[in-house]
Amino acid sequence: MTWFLGLGITGVVLLALSLVFDGLLEGAFGGALDGVLEGWLSLPVVAGFVAMTGFGGAIALGTGWAGPAGAAGAGVVAGVGAGWLTYRFSRALMRDQTSVTPSTDDLVGTSGKVVTAIPAEGYGEVLLRLAGQPLKCAARSAEPVARGAEVWVEAVPTGTSVVVRPVDH
């Protein structure tokens, strides 16, 4: 029983270490196994296998369900199941992609309000929304635009300035 519990505790310690050192086993072989085990030789998968092999064997042995050999077999079956589940969950998490981070180029074609009047061929300020967040930018226009007017963004010459035109209603 002590061997199985020791194996289970070792797996839990490996799992905790995988939070800090994930990718260690993949890089340990210098790329020799690239594509061969593709994610199966990751520290979380190995840790899940070792932990469930130990705890599964301890449960089988402690309940009197099997002797040491049967407990080892039951532990290996539980370990393979845990390793497979860990592999599948990690692959699902790796495929989960977030949306693209918005950039100032996404402002072209959006509308906003003038907060500081824009003189002809001069700079004022506009309040725009980028990904739902307010963004105040320096604004230039070919014609003067009064404070409070609605404008459309035509171009983004820099990350903090835009070229706008008044919206005709």
Side-chain angles (χ1 to χ4, degrees), residues 10 15 18 37-38 49 53-54 59-60 74 81 89 132 137-138 146 149 153 160 163 166:
T10 300
L15 194 56
S18 74
L37 296 175
E38 197 62 44
F49 171 78
T53 299
I59 290 170
F89 285 141
C137 293
V153 177
T160 58
V163 176

Side-chain angles (χ1 to χ4, degrees), residues 13-14 28 34 47 57 59 102 107 152 165:
V13 169
L14 277 176
D34 283 349
I59 290 170
L107 290 172
W152 285 99
R165 68 173 171 81

Side-chain angles (χ1 to χ4, degrees), residues 5-97:
L5 289 176
L7 198 58
I9 291 169
T10 300
V12 170
V13 169
L14 277 176
L15 194 56
L17 288 174
S18 74
L19 294 173
V20 177
F21 298 113
D22 191 30
L24 181 69
L25 288 180
E26 291 92 341
F29 298 105
L33 298 177
D34 283 349
V36 176
L37 296 175
E38 197 62 44
W40 284 103
L41 192 62
S42 68
L43 198 50
V45 171
V46 171
F49 171 78
V50 170
M52 281 309 294
T53 299
F55 291 135
I59 290 170
L61 189 63
T63 59
W65 178 75
V76 167
V77 168
V80 167
W84 181 80
L85 283 174
T86 304
Y87 172 77
R88 297 298 298 170
F89 285 141
S90 66
R91 293 296 115 204
L93 289 173
M94 294 301 282
R95 280 192 309 271
D96 185 30
Q97 300 295 321

